Amino acid sequence: MSFEPESLAYDQLASVQAAVSAEPDLESSSISVSMVGRSVLLEGYVAGYGDREKATAIAALIAGPENVRDRMQDREEMNG
């Protein structure tokens, strides 16, 4: 079997998407999860700092903290 990084990235992406969606204490409907190279990219809007921390922690458990990029924005900051 050959090493296929694209396949691993897809599996990692699917795992992060599923884990973020399954977290009951996280409003994940406004969070988009994608891959940029070997990094997991989190984008969208979160209710606050707690949701940002939860989402990045979930992604870091799966992809490793060095492979997580956060571009999420707090809704509170957007309304202020």
Side-chain angles (χ1 to χ4, degrees):
M1 178 175 216
S2 65
F3 177 71
E4 297 180 29
E6 295 84 15
S7 176
L8 293 175
Y10 178 78
D11 290 345
Q12 198 172 62
L13 173 62
S15 295
V16 173
Q17 287 172 328
V20 167
S21 294
E23 176 58 44
D25 296 329
L26 177 63
E27 175 52 52
S28 62
S29 63
S30 296
I31 299 174
S32 170
V33 183
S34 59
M35 295 294 292
V36 176
R38 300 177 85 185
S39 296
V40 173
L41 178 62
L42 302 171
E43 294 181 292
Y45 298 95
V46 291
Y49 184 76
D51 281 357
R52 175 189 301 275
E53 288 297 303
K54 286 178 197 162
T56 54
I58 290 168
L61 284 172
I62 295 167
E66 68 280 2
N67 294 320
V68 177
R69 304 292 175 256
D70 170 12
R71 289 190 188 164
M72 295 179 287
Q73 297 180 352
D74 293 344
R75 288 179 207 246
E76 296 165 0
E77 292 175 4
M78 298 303 293
N79 294 331

